[in-house]
Amino acid sequence: MDRDTSTSAGAASARRGRDRLAVEHLPRPRPASPDGSRRPTLAALFDPRDNSLDVLRLALAGFVAVVHGTANGFGRQPHVGTTDLGSVAVDGFFVVSGFLVTRSFLRLGSLRRYAWHRFLRIAPAFWVCLVVTAAAVAPLAAVLGGQSAAVVLEGPDSAPSYVSSNALLLMRQFGVTGVGDPVRGGQAVLDGSLWTLFFEACCYGAVAALGVVGVLRRRAWLLAACAVLWAATIAAAAGVDLGTELMLRFLFIFLLGAAGYVFADRVPVSGALAAASTALVVAGLHLLPDHRALAGPAFAYVVLWAAVRLPLRWRPRWDLSYGLYIYHWPVQLLLALAGAAVLGAVPFVALSLLLACAAAALSWLLVERPCLRMKDASWVQAPLPRRRRGAGGSPGTGRGDRPHEESR
Protein backbone atom coordinates (compact mmCIF):
# COMPACT_ATOMS: atom_id res chain seq x y z
CA MET A 1 0.00 0.00 0.00
CA ASP A 2 3.08 2.23 0.01
CA ARG A 3 3.27 4.73 -2.80
CA ASP A 4 6.36 6.72 -3.79
CA THR A 5 5.26 10.29 -4.32
CA SER A 6 8.59 11.86 -5.16
CA THR A 7 8.89 13.39 -8.62
CA SER A 8 12.66 13.55 -8.83
CA ALA A 9 14.52 11.45 -11.35
CA GLY A 10 16.39 9.63 -8.61
CA ALA A 11 13.21 8.74 -6.79
CA ALA A 12 11.58 7.58 -10.02
CA SER A 13 14.56 5.34 -10.70
CA ALA A 14 14.36 3.92 -7.19
CA ARG A 15 10.67 3.29 -7.64
CA ARG A 16 11.28 1.38 -10.87
CA GLY A 17 13.93 -0.65 -9.08
CA ARG A 18 11.54 -1.49 -6.27
CA ASP A 19 8.86 -2.51 -8.73
CA ARG A 20 11.30 -4.80 -10.51
CA LEU A 21 12.25 -6.28 -7.16
CA ALA A 22 8.58 -6.75 -6.32
CA VAL A 23 8.10 -8.70 -9.54
CA GLU A 24 11.09 -10.86 -8.64
CA HIS A 25 9.64 -11.60 -5.22
CA LEU A 26 6.29 -12.57 -6.66
CA PRO A 27 6.22 -16.35 -7.19
CA ARG A 28 7.20 -17.19 -10.75
CA PRO A 29 4.21 -18.04 -12.96
CA ARG A 30 3.96 -21.64 -14.07
CA PRO A 31 4.67 -22.06 -17.76
CA ALA A 32 1.74 -22.64 -20.07
CA SER A 33 1.08 -26.03 -21.57
CA PRO A 34 2.41 -26.60 -25.12
CA ASP A 35 -1.13 -26.35 -26.47
CA GLY A 36 -1.72 -23.12 -24.57
CA SER A 37 -4.56 -24.65 -22.57
CA ARG A 38 -3.30 -23.66 -19.15
CA ARG A 39 -5.04 -20.59 -17.82
CA PRO A 40 -2.94 -17.58 -16.80
CA THR A 41 -2.11 -17.30 -13.13
CA LEU A 42 -2.28 -14.42 -10.71
CA ALA A 43 1.52 -14.16 -10.80
CA ALA A 44 1.52 -13.92 -14.59
CA LEU A 45 -1.12 -11.17 -14.69
CA PHE A 46 -0.25 -9.05 -11.67
CA ASP A 47 1.81 -6.02 -12.59
CA PRO A 48 2.79 -3.76 -9.64
CA ARG A 49 2.59 -0.74 -11.98
CA ASP A 50 -0.57 -1.69 -13.86
CA ASN A 51 -3.46 -3.09 -11.83
CA SER A 52 -6.86 -2.10 -10.48
CA LEU A 53 -5.93 -1.99 -6.80
CA ASP A 54 -5.99 1.80 -6.43
CA VAL A 55 -9.45 2.10 -7.94
CA LEU A 56 -10.63 -0.98 -6.07
CA ARG A 57 -9.56 0.42 -2.70
CA LEU A 58 -11.16 3.78 -3.45
CA ALA A 59 -14.37 2.06 -4.56
CA LEU A 60 -14.46 -0.05 -1.39
CA ALA A 61 -13.95 3.05 0.78
CA GLY A 62 -16.70 4.83 -1.14
CA PHE A 63 -19.03 1.88 -0.74
CA VAL A 64 -18.47 1.81 3.03
CA ALA A 65 -19.20 5.55 3.11
CA VAL A 66 -22.46 5.08 1.18
CA VAL A 67 -23.63 2.31 3.52
CA HIS A 68 -22.73 4.35 6.58
CA GLY A 69 -24.46 7.38 5.05
CA THR A 70 -27.80 5.60 5.01
CA ALA A 71 -27.25 4.57 8.63
CA ASN A 72 -26.04 7.96 9.92
CA GLY A 73 -28.67 9.93 8.04
CA PHE A 74 -31.68 7.64 8.14
CA GLY A 75 -31.01 4.87 10.67
CA ARG A 76 -30.84 2.01 8.20
CA GLN A 77 -28.28 0.29 6.02
CA PRO A 78 -28.58 -2.37 3.32
CA HIS A 79 -28.20 -6.02 4.27
CA VAL A 80 -27.92 -9.30 2.44
CA GLY A 81 -29.25 -11.92 4.80
CA THR A 82 -27.89 -10.98 8.22
CA THR A 83 -24.75 -9.30 6.86
CA ASP A 84 -24.61 -5.56 6.28
CA LEU A 85 -22.96 -4.71 2.98
CA GLY A 86 -20.49 -2.35 4.63
CA SER A 87 -18.90 -5.35 6.36
CA VAL A 88 -18.46 -7.06 3.00
CA ALA A 89 -16.60 -4.01 1.68
CA VAL A 90 -14.38 -3.94 4.78
CA ASP A 91 -13.56 -7.61 4.16
CA GLY A 92 -12.52 -6.62 0.65
CA PHE A 93 -10.13 -4.08 2.16
CA PHE A 94 -8.56 -6.78 4.32
CA VAL A 95 -8.05 -9.13 1.37
CA VAL A 96 -6.30 -6.40 -0.65
CA SER A 97 -4.27 -5.37 2.38
CA GLY A 98 -3.19 -8.95 3.08
CA PHE A 99 -1.96 -9.32 -0.49
CA LEU A 100 -0.09 -6.00 -0.57
CA VAL A 101 1.32 -6.13 2.96
CA THR A 102 2.73 -9.60 2.40
CA ARG A 103 4.31 -8.34 -0.80
CA SER A 104 5.76 -5.42 1.16
CA PHE A 105 7.25 -7.68 3.84
CA LEU A 106 8.92 -9.96 1.31
CA ARG A 107 10.08 -7.06 -0.88
CA LEU A 108 11.63 -5.04 1.93
CA GLY A 109 13.47 -7.95 3.50
CA SER A 110 13.76 -6.04 6.78
CA LEU A 111 11.52 -6.24 9.82
CA ARG A 112 12.59 -2.76 10.87
CA ARG A 113 11.74 -1.16 7.52
CA TYR A 114 8.49 -3.10 7.29
CA ALA A 115 7.36 -1.92 10.74
CA TRP A 116 8.28 1.69 9.89
CA HIS A 117 6.38 1.58 6.60
CA ARG A 118 3.30 0.12 8.26
CA PHE A 119 3.45 2.72 11.03
CA LEU A 120 3.63 5.59 8.55
CA ARG A 121 0.76 4.21 6.52
CA ILE A 122 -1.74 3.98 9.36
CA ALA A 123 -0.78 5.87 12.54
CA PRO A 124 -0.10 9.54 11.69
CA ALA A 125 -3.34 10.08 9.76
CA PHE A 126 -5.25 8.20 12.47
CA TRP A 127 -3.85 10.46 15.20
CA VAL A 128 -4.60 13.62 13.23
CA CYS A 129 -8.14 12.34 12.65
CA LEU A 130 -8.59 11.81 16.40
CA VAL A 131 -7.42 15.35 17.14
CA VAL A 132 -9.53 16.92 14.39
CA THR A 133 -12.59 14.99 15.52
CA ALA A 134 -12.11 15.94 19.18
CA ALA A 135 -11.06 19.56 18.65
CA ALA A 136 -13.32 20.58 15.75
CA VAL A 137 -16.04 18.03 14.99
CA ALA A 138 -17.13 17.42 18.58
CA PRO A 139 -17.60 21.12 19.56
CA LEU A 140 -19.40 21.87 16.30
CA ALA A 141 -21.62 18.82 16.75
CA ALA A 142 -22.45 19.95 20.29
CA VAL A 143 -23.45 23.40 19.04
CA LEU A 144 -25.59 21.91 16.27
CA GLY A 145 -27.30 19.79 18.92
CA GLY A 146 -28.17 22.84 21.01
CA GLN A 147 -25.32 22.53 23.54
CA SER A 148 -22.40 24.78 24.38
CA ALA A 149 -19.13 24.01 22.59
CA ALA A 150 -17.41 23.87 25.99
CA VAL A 151 -19.53 20.92 27.10
CA VAL A 152 -17.20 18.54 25.23
CA LEU A 153 -14.50 19.31 27.81
CA GLU A 154 -16.61 17.98 30.68
CA GLY A 155 -17.10 14.55 32.22
CA PRO A 156 -15.29 11.25 31.80
CA ASP A 157 -16.10 11.16 28.07
CA SER A 158 -14.45 14.49 27.32
CA ALA A 159 -12.82 15.44 24.03
CA PRO A 160 -9.27 15.22 25.47
CA SER A 161 -10.12 11.79 26.86
CA TYR A 162 -11.33 10.76 23.40
CA VAL A 163 -7.85 11.38 22.01
CA SER A 164 -5.89 9.81 24.86
CA SER A 165 -8.13 6.76 25.27
CA ASN A 166 -7.97 5.86 21.58
CA ALA A 167 -4.39 6.85 20.76
CA LEU A 168 -3.13 3.24 20.58
CA LEU A 169 -5.60 2.37 17.78
CA LEU A 170 -7.88 0.36 20.07
CA MET A 171 -11.12 2.35 20.24
CA ARG A 172 -12.17 2.44 23.89
CA GLN A 173 -14.21 5.67 23.78
CA PHE A 174 -16.58 6.20 20.87
CA GLY A 175 -18.43 9.32 21.95
CA VAL A 176 -17.90 12.71 23.59
CA THR A 177 -20.00 14.45 26.24
CA GLY A 178 -22.71 16.67 24.81
CA VAL A 179 -22.74 15.16 21.31
CA GLY A 180 -26.02 13.38 20.69
CA ASP A 181 -27.08 11.10 17.87
CA PRO A 182 -29.87 12.77 15.87
CA VAL A 183 -31.07 9.47 14.38
CA ARG A 184 -30.71 6.81 17.06
CA GLY A 185 -30.77 9.00 20.16
CA GLY A 186 -28.32 8.85 23.04
CA GLN A 187 -24.66 9.70 22.75
CA ALA A 188 -23.36 9.80 19.19
CA VAL A 189 -20.50 7.72 17.86
CA LEU A 190 -18.05 10.33 16.56
CA ASP A 191 -16.28 8.08 14.09
CA GLY A 192 -17.57 4.55 13.73
CA SER A 193 -15.04 3.61 11.05
CA LEU A 194 -11.88 3.78 13.15
CA TRP A 195 -12.42 0.60 15.16
CA THR A 196 -11.26 -1.68 12.33
CA LEU A 197 -7.80 -0.09 12.25
CA PHE A 198 -6.73 -1.88 15.43
CA PHE A 199 -7.42 -5.21 13.74
CA GLU A 200 -5.60 -4.04 10.63
CA ALA A 201 -2.53 -3.29 12.75
CA CYS A 202 -2.81 -6.69 14.44
CA CYS A 203 -2.84 -8.32 11.01
CA TYR A 204 0.30 -6.37 10.09
CA GLY A 205 1.91 -7.85 13.19
CA ALA A 206 0.70 -11.33 12.24
CA VAL A 207 2.38 -11.06 8.83
CA ALA A 208 5.61 -9.95 10.51
CA ALA A 209 5.46 -12.85 12.97
CA LEU A 210 4.73 -15.38 10.22
CA GLY A 211 7.55 -13.93 8.16
CA VAL A 212 10.07 -14.08 11.00
CA VAL A 213 9.32 -17.73 11.79
CA GLY A 214 9.40 -18.64 8.11
CA VAL A 215 5.74 -19.47 7.51
CA LEU A 216 5.48 -17.09 4.54
CA ARG A 217 8.21 -19.06 2.79
CA ARG A 218 6.81 -22.46 3.59
CA ARG A 219 3.59 -22.71 1.63
CA ALA A 220 2.31 -25.78 3.42
CA TRP A 221 2.52 -23.98 6.76
CA LEU A 222 0.65 -20.94 5.48
CA LEU A 223 -1.99 -23.18 3.94
CA ALA A 224 -2.34 -25.02 7.25
CA ALA A 225 -2.76 -21.70 9.11
CA CYS A 226 -5.53 -20.65 6.72
CA ALA A 227 -7.19 -24.05 7.09
CA VAL A 228 -7.16 -23.78 10.90
CA LEU A 229 -8.70 -20.29 10.73
CA TRP A 230 -11.33 -21.51 8.28
CA ALA A 231 -12.22 -24.40 10.59
CA ALA A 232 -12.49 -21.97 13.50
CA THR A 233 -14.74 -19.70 11.40
CA ILE A 234 -17.00 -22.64 10.63
CA ALA A 235 -17.11 -23.58 14.31
CA ALA A 236 -18.00 -20.01 15.29
CA ALA A 237 -20.78 -19.93 12.67
CA ALA A 238 -22.10 -23.17 14.16
CA GLY A 239 -22.43 -21.52 17.56
CA VAL A 240 -19.14 -22.37 19.24
CA ASP A 241 -18.03 -19.46 21.43
CA LEU A 242 -14.38 -18.86 20.65
CA GLY A 243 -14.26 -15.50 22.39
CA THR A 244 -12.35 -13.83 19.56
CA GLU A 245 -14.82 -13.60 16.70
CA LEU A 246 -13.71 -10.20 15.38
CA MET A 247 -10.02 -11.07 15.46
CA LEU A 248 -10.79 -14.41 13.85
CA ARG A 249 -12.82 -12.73 11.12
CA PHE A 250 -10.18 -10.19 10.16
CA LEU A 251 -7.15 -12.46 10.52
CA PHE A 252 -8.77 -15.17 8.40
CA ILE A 253 -9.68 -12.86 5.54
CA PHE A 254 -6.34 -11.02 5.76
CA LEU A 255 -4.32 -14.24 5.57
CA LEU A 256 -6.38 -15.34 2.58
CA GLY A 257 -5.09 -12.22 0.84
CA ALA A 258 -1.56 -13.09 1.98
CA ALA A 259 -1.98 -16.62 0.64
CA GLY A 260 -3.12 -15.13 -2.66
CA TYR A 261 0.29 -13.50 -2.96
CA VAL A 262 2.33 -16.47 -1.78
CA PHE A 263 0.43 -18.90 -4.04
CA ALA A 264 0.12 -16.45 -6.93
CA ASP A 265 1.87 -18.81 -9.33
CA ARG A 266 -0.72 -21.50 -8.54
CA VAL A 267 -3.89 -19.41 -8.57
CA PRO A 268 -5.57 -19.52 -11.99
CA VAL A 269 -7.30 -16.37 -13.19
CA SER A 270 -10.55 -17.56 -14.71
CA GLY A 271 -13.78 -15.73 -15.40
CA ALA A 272 -15.77 -18.92 -14.91
CA LEU A 273 -14.09 -19.56 -11.56
CA ALA A 274 -14.75 -15.95 -10.52
CA ALA A 275 -18.44 -16.33 -11.43
CA ALA A 276 -18.72 -19.57 -9.47
CA SER A 277 -16.96 -17.96 -6.51
CA THR A 278 -19.33 -15.00 -6.63
CA ALA A 279 -22.31 -17.36 -6.60
CA LEU A 280 -20.83 -19.13 -3.56
CA VAL A 281 -20.38 -15.80 -1.75
CA VAL A 282 -23.99 -14.81 -2.47
CA ALA A 283 -25.16 -18.18 -1.17
CA GLY A 284 -23.10 -17.74 1.97
CA LEU A 285 -24.56 -14.28 2.56
CA HIS A 286 -28.10 -15.61 2.30
CA LEU A 287 -27.71 -18.92 4.10
CA LEU A 288 -25.29 -18.29 6.98
CA PRO A 289 -24.78 -15.69 9.69
CA ASP A 290 -21.13 -15.55 8.56
CA HIS A 291 -20.63 -15.97 4.83
CA ARG A 292 -16.91 -16.56 5.36
CA ALA A 293 -17.64 -19.97 6.86
CA LEU A 294 -18.83 -21.13 3.46
CA ALA A 295 -17.16 -18.76 1.05
CA GLY A 296 -14.12 -17.11 2.68
CA PRO A 297 -11.61 -18.36 0.08
CA ALA A 298 -14.13 -17.73 -2.73
CA PHE A 299 -14.57 -14.13 -1.57
CA ALA A 300 -10.80 -13.57 -1.51
CA TYR A 301 -10.53 -15.05 -5.01
CA VAL A 302 -13.18 -12.67 -6.38
CA VAL A 303 -11.35 -9.65 -4.93
CA LEU A 304 -7.96 -10.70 -6.32
CA TRP A 305 -9.50 -11.62 -9.67
CA ALA A 306 -10.95 -8.11 -9.85
CA ALA A 307 -7.53 -6.61 -9.09
CA VAL A 308 -6.01 -8.06 -12.25
CA ARG A 309 -9.01 -8.37 -14.56
CA LEU A 310 -11.07 -5.22 -14.10
CA PRO A 311 -10.19 -2.64 -16.79
CA LEU A 312 -9.67 0.07 -14.18
CA ARG A 313 -6.02 0.98 -14.53
CA TRP A 314 -6.28 4.56 -13.30
CA ARG A 315 -3.60 5.41 -10.73
CA PRO A 316 -4.56 8.72 -9.11
CA ARG A 317 -1.73 10.91 -7.89
CA TRP A 318 -3.68 11.52 -4.68
CA ASP A 319 -4.58 8.40 -2.71
CA LEU A 320 -7.90 9.34 -1.08
CA SER A 321 -9.01 5.86 -0.01
CA TYR A 322 -7.69 5.96 3.57
CA GLY A 323 -8.80 9.54 4.18
CA LEU A 324 -12.25 8.83 2.78
CA TYR A 325 -12.55 5.83 5.05
CA ILE A 326 -11.62 7.63 8.29
CA TYR A 327 -13.40 10.97 7.67
CA HIS A 328 -16.74 10.11 6.08
CA TRP A 329 -18.43 9.21 9.39
CA PRO A 330 -17.82 12.52 11.24
CA VAL A 331 -18.84 14.42 8.10
CA GLN A 332 -22.12 12.49 7.98
CA LEU A 333 -22.72 13.08 11.69
CA LEU A 334 -22.40 16.85 11.22
CA LEU A 335 -24.69 16.79 8.19
CA ALA A 336 -27.31 14.81 10.10
CA LEU A 337 -27.13 17.23 13.05
CA ALA A 338 -27.48 20.14 10.60
CA GLY A 339 -30.71 18.62 9.27
CA ALA A 340 -29.39 17.69 5.83
CA ALA A 341 -31.37 14.44 5.91
CA VAL A 342 -34.40 16.43 4.70
CA LEU A 343 -32.69 16.50 1.28
CA GLY A 344 -33.36 12.79 0.88
CA ALA A 345 -31.08 9.76 0.94
CA VAL A 346 -29.33 10.23 -2.41
CA PRO A 347 -28.51 13.96 -2.01
CA PHE A 348 -27.45 13.40 1.61
CA VAL A 349 -25.07 10.58 0.75
CA ALA A 350 -23.72 12.41 -2.32
CA LEU A 351 -23.02 15.57 -0.32
CA SER A 352 -21.34 13.56 2.43
CA LEU A 353 -19.12 11.86 -0.14
CA LEU A 354 -18.14 15.20 -1.66
CA LEU A 355 -17.22 16.72 1.70
CA ALA A 356 -15.49 13.55 2.87
CA CYS A 357 -13.39 13.50 -0.30
CA ALA A 358 -12.37 17.10 0.42
CA ALA A 359 -11.30 16.06 3.93
CA ALA A 360 -9.48 13.05 2.44
CA ALA A 361 -7.61 15.33 0.03
CA LEU A 362 -6.43 17.50 2.92
CA SER A 363 -5.40 14.39 4.83
CA TRP A 364 -3.39 13.16 1.84
CA LEU A 365 -1.71 16.49 1.12
CA LEU A 366 -0.99 17.58 4.68
CA VAL A 367 -0.46 14.30 6.55
CA GLU A 368 -0.27 11.07 4.58
CA ARG A 369 1.95 12.07 1.67
CA PRO A 370 4.48 13.98 3.81
CA CYS A 371 4.69 11.03 6.20
CA LEU A 372 5.09 8.47 3.41
CA ARG A 373 8.01 10.49 2.07
CA MET A 374 9.85 9.55 5.27
CA LYS A 375 9.56 5.82 4.66
CA ASP A 376 13.14 5.63 3.34
CA ALA A 377 14.64 7.79 6.08
CA SER A 378 18.38 7.37 6.54
CA TRP A 379 18.07 5.89 10.01
CA VAL A 380 15.81 3.09 8.85
CA GLN A 381 17.98 2.40 5.80
CA ALA A 382 21.22 2.22 7.80
CA PRO A 383 22.42 -1.33 8.58
CA LEU A 384 22.29 -2.46 12.18
CA PRO A 385 25.66 -2.82 13.95
CA ARG A 386 27.13 -6.28 13.87
CA ARG A 387 28.11 -8.09 17.02
CA ARG A 388 31.65 -9.12 17.67
CA ARG A 389 32.69 -12.71 18.15
CA GLY A 390 32.29 -13.78 21.72
CA ALA A 391 29.86 -11.01 22.51
CA GLY A 392 26.83 -13.25 22.82
CA GLY A 393 26.33 -14.05 19.17
CA SER A 394 28.00 -14.91 15.90
CA PRO A 395 29.37 -12.29 13.51
CA GLY A 396 26.80 -10.48 11.42
CA THR A 397 23.79 -11.22 13.56
CA GLY A 398 22.18 -8.02 12.36
CA ARG A 399 20.63 -9.99 9.53
CA GLY A 400 17.20 -8.54 10.09
CA ASP A 401 17.94 -5.84 7.51
CA ARG A 402 19.27 -8.17 4.83
CA PRO A 403 17.04 -8.94 1.85
CA HIS A 404 15.25 -12.26 2.03
CA GLU A 405 16.47 -14.89 -0.35
CA GLU A 406 13.75 -16.45 -2.46
CA SER A 407 15.35 -19.90 -2.19
CA ARG A 408 14.69 -20.02 1.55
Side-chain angles (χ1 to χ4, degrees), residues 169-185:
L169 288 179
L170 179 61
M171 296 297 293
R172 296 184 297 171
Q173 179 183 330
F174 284 89
V176 167
T177 303
V179 180
D181 190 322
V183 176
R184 307 173 187 86

Side-chain angles (χ1 to χ4, degrees), residues 7-58:
T7 58
S8 67
S13 175
R15 182 169 63 250
R16 289 192 295 270
R18 283 194 294 271
D19 285 341
R20 285 194 296 270
L21 183 60
V23 173
E24 291 171 1
H25 277 289
L26 195 69
R28 296 179 181 274
R30 301 171 69 186
S33 302
D35 60 359
S37 61
R38 178 166 292 166
R39 291 187 176 91
T41 63
L42 187 58
L45 295 181
F46 178 75
D47 184 343
R49 296 176 296 262
D50 184 25
N51 56 68
S52 300
L53 288 174
D54 285 337
V55 175
L56 189 59
R57 287 188 299 119
L58 185 59

